[in-house]
Amino acid sequence: MGLERPVKGSKMCTQLNSRQLIESLNRRYSDGIREALGQVPFNFVITDPCLLDHPIVYASEGFSKMSGYSTEEVVGRNVRFLQGPDTDRRTILKIREAIREEKSCQVSILNYKKNGTAFWNLFHLAPVFSEDDGRVVHFVGVQTPISKFSRPSVTNNVSCSRPNNCPAFVENRLFNHHTSSVIYFGSCRRELFRNCSVDLGHSGLYNSLAEEDDAGLGEEPTCEAKESDKQKAFAAATRILFELTQFSKHTGKTVLDKRSNSADLVRVAPISSSLSIALNRIHQSFVLADPHLPDMPIVHASNLFLQLTGYSKDEILGRNCRFLQGRDTDQAAIAQIRQSIVAEQCCTVRILNYRKDNSSFWNLLHTAPVRNASGKVAFYVGVQLDVTGIDEDVHQEKGMSSHTKQLGAVGAVRVAVRSLHGVGSR
C-alpha cells in the first residue's frame, strides 16, 4: 500500500499526539463508530490527510492479522511501512496521484508483512468527503491479499508461471538480497540467478540489483487480481463508507462518498487534500487565509499554530484571524496588516494576541501574499512567533535566525501552493 511513524522522541512524534488521532474520528462520528467498524469483516485502515504525514487513525482487526502489526503499532503511522525494496514505484505514484486528485483507485501492489514476508495486495482507496464544505476528511484503504491462483500478468522478465529449469513455486518465501538466488513474492515471483540465464523472451533476467535500481521506473513485477477480488474490495469500501456516513449524521457533520454539489461549495472552495498534506509537513506556526472568500477566512492552520493558541482546527477553520485580537491589541498594528494586504505586500509586526484561555502573548507576525502558478494572489500566509518575555531591542539583534525561519516557512508554503493549488478541486 502506498499511502511511517518515526521513532519515539523524533520531531514528528512531538507534532502528532494521541489526542489528535483519537479526535480524528470522535469529532466527526458519534459514539459507537469504532464498535461498528469492528464488526466489518475486512482488512482496512482509515487515514487522515489533515494530520501530519497522513497517518492511520483506525486499523481493523483484519488488517492487523493480515500484516502482523498490532493496532498500537500502526495507528499514527503513514501506511508506507507496508512498502519494501521491490514494491513497484509506479504503483505508488498511481496511489499518490489518486490522493492528489481526491479520487478512488484500485491497484495491485507488492507489500510486506511485519516478519518480512512479501505478498500481493489488491489495494482499494476511497476518499471520504465532508457534506458541508466538500473537503476530504478521511481516506479508506481496503487491502485484499491476492489469492494464490489469480491470473498473473507477465511484465518484462516477470512471470507467475514456472519456466523450464526453474525451481518449483514456494509461497511467501522471505527475500534476502545478500544470500538468496531466488526471490518469491506471494503468488508471483522474480528469479535472480547468479550463474544461469533463463530465457523468458529476453536474453536473461536481471544482471544485478544495481542495474534494477538504475532502471528507475522501468518494468516491475505485477500480479493481476481476480474479478471476484476486485468486486469484494469495492463492496468492502462501500460498506465502510456506509458506516461512516450513518455515524456522521448523528453529529451533524455528515460525510459522503462523493463531493456534494450544493450551492455552498460554490461559495466555499476548500483546499485540496494534497495541498493540505504538503502544508502539514511545514514545521512552523502559520495559517493560510483565502482573500477571495467573504471575511478572508482561515482555510488551513498548522499543528504548531493550534498548540500556540489552544484552539482546535474545527474552531478556527472558516473564521477570520481577528479572534486572536483582544482588549490591549494595538490597533495601529492591525491597520498596518490591513494596508499590506490591500497593497499585496509582506508585513512584519509585533502584536499582542490572545489564546483560547484568554492568556496573552507577544506575537512576531509575518504576513505575505501567496501567488498561484499564474501569478495571482491565491492566499495570504501568516507566520507566528511567540516572543513573549523577549526584549524587543534584544530580539532585533538576535532574532535574525527566527525571522529567517519565518521566511523559510513562507517560501515552503509558496512552493506547495504553486505546485498543488487547484489539484483535486472540482
Side-chain angles (χ1 to χ4, degrees):
M1 185 167 159
L3 272 183
E4 182 151 323
R5 178 174 167 187
V7 295
K8 292 183 178 180
S10 71
K11 186 174 184 180
M12 191 175 295
C13 275
T14 62
Q15 303 295 326
L16 190 63
N17 56 48
S18 58
R19 180 178 61 84
Q20 291 174 300
L21 297 171
I22 294 172
E23 288 185 351
S24 177
L25 290 184
N26 288 356
R27 68 171 177 260
R28 190 165 291 276
Y29 310 104
S30 60
D31 294 341
I33 180 60
R34 287 178 172 80
E35 182 179 354
L37 292 175
Q39 300 300 314
V40 179
F42 301 110
N43 314 325
F44 68 95
V45 295
I46 298 175
T47 64
D48 190 336
C50 301
L51 295 181
L52 183 65
D53 205 33
H54 196 169
I56 296 171
V57 295
Y58 180 87
S60 71
E61 182 179 352
F63 176 85
S64 296
K65 291 180 179 179
M66 176 197 73
S67 66
Y69 291 93
S70 67
T71 300
E72 293 75 15
E73 289 177 304
V74 301
V75 170
R77 299 177 67 176
N78 183 285
V79 195
R80 71 175 68 92
F81 64 83
L82 289 179
Q83 299 172 20
D86 292 286
T87 301
D88 184 1
R89 285 162 289 179
R90 294 175 305 169
T91 304
I92 296 172
L93 291 177
K94 289 180 182 178
I95 298 172
R96 290 177 178 171
E97 184 67 19
I99 293 172
R100 282 196 295 269
E101 295 185 358
E102 300 178 347
K103 66 180 184 181
S104 298
C105 79
Q106 193 176 86
V107 296
S108 297
I109 185 170
L110 185 68
N111 281 157
Y112 294 82
K113 300 181 180 182
K114 182 179 180 179
N115 63 8
T117 302
F119 67 100
W120 282 96
N121 175 21
L122 177 64
F123 174 57
H124 184 97
L125 176 76
V128 182
F129 296 95
S130 166
E131 183 181 44
D132 291 336
D133 58 18
R135 288 184 299 141
V136 173
V137 294
H138 291 114
F139 280 95
V140 173
V142 179
Q143 296 82 20
T144 305
I146 297 177
S147 58
K148 181 176 179 179
F149 300 104
S150 297
R151 183 182 63 82
S153 62
V154 179
T155 306
N156 199 6
N157 297 315
V158 181
S159 175
C160 291
S161 59
R162 184 166 65 92
N164 294 331
N165 304 320
C166 288
F169 172 76
V170 180
E171 186 175 4
N172 289 336
R173 181 168 174 175
L174 297 181
F175 65 88
N176 188 321
H177 292 318
H178 302 290
T179 61
S180 296
S181 298
V182 184
I183 302 177
Y184 299 94
F185 298 136
S187 60
C188 298
R189 70 181 183 184
R190 174 162 54 86
E191 287 98 345
L192 302 180
F193 289 87
R194 291 193 184 94
N195 300 315
C196 73
S197 175
V198 182
D199 186 7
L200 295 178
H202 296 271
S203 59
L205 290 172
Y206 296 89
N207 293 326
S208 68
L209 290 173
E211 287 186 3
E212 180 190 16
D213 290 339
D214 292 338
L217 298 179
E219 296 292 339
E220 299 280 355
T222 60
C223 195
E224 184 68 22
K226 293 189 297 186
E227 191 61 33
S228 59
D229 288 333
K230 295 180 180 180
Q231 294 175 0
K232 178 181 177 181
F234 179 80
T238 301
R239 165 75 183 278
I240 297 163
L241 288 166
F242 173 80
E243 296 291 351
L244 295 177
T245 298
Q246 294 305 307
F247 279 84
S248 66
K249 291 179 179 179
H250 299 296
T251 65
K253 299 178 179 179
T254 305
V255 300
L256 304 170
D257 61 353
K258 62 183 66 175
R259 181 171 279 123
S260 172
N261 293 321
S262 66
D264 285 343
L265 296 184
V266 177
R267 180 178 60 84
V268 180
I271 65 173
S272 66
S273 58
S274 56
L275 177 55
S276 178
I277 292 170
L279 295 175
N280 282 332
R281 297 191 181 107
I282 303 173
H283 301 287
Q284 192 78 32
S285 172
F286 73 95
V287 295
L288 203 64
D290 192 334
H292 305 292
L293 296 178
D295 205 29
M296 196 172 169
I298 295 173
V299 293
H300 178 86
S302 70
N303 289 327
L304 284 180
F305 176 85
L306 303 179
Q307 293 177 23
L308 173 64
T309 63
Y311 289 93
S312 69
K313 192 163 292 188
D314 286 341
E315 290 175 312
I316 63 173
L317 289 181
R319 297 177 64 182
N320 185 281
C321 298
R322 70 174 67 90
F323 64 84
L324 293 176
Q325 300 172 20
R327 180 183 58 187
D328 296 316
T329 302
D330 186 0
Q331 295 302 309
I334 297 173
Q336 186 178 346
I337 297 171
R338 289 173 177 168
Q339 290 169 7
S340 68
I341 293 174
V342 172
E344 297 185 355
Q345 295 178 345
C346 297
C347 174
T348 302
V349 297
R350 183 184 173 100
I351 186 171
L352 188 67
N353 281 156
Y354 293 81
R355 300 182 177 90
K356 182 180 178 179
D357 62 6
N358 292 322
S359 63
S360 62
F361 66 99
W362 283 101
N363 178 14
L364 184 66
L365 174 66
H366 180 80
T367 63
V370 181
R371 302 180 186 275
N372 58 23
S374 63
K376 296 181 179 180
V377 174
F379 303 103
Y380 275 88
V381 61
V383 186
Q384 300 80 24
L385 181 65
D386 186 354
V387 292
T388 305
I390 302 177
D391 184 84
E392 187 169 1
D393 293 333
V394 173
H395 186 270
Q396 288 178 350
E397 295 176 2
K398 299 182 179 181
M400 182 58 68
S401 61
S402 297
H403 187 54
T404 300
K405 291 180 180 179
Q406 287 183 307
L407 296 179
V410 172
V413 170
R414 285 173 170 166
V415 170
V417 169
R418 288 172 185 167
S419 302
L420 298 171
H421 180 44
V423 176
S425 61
R426 300 290 184 268

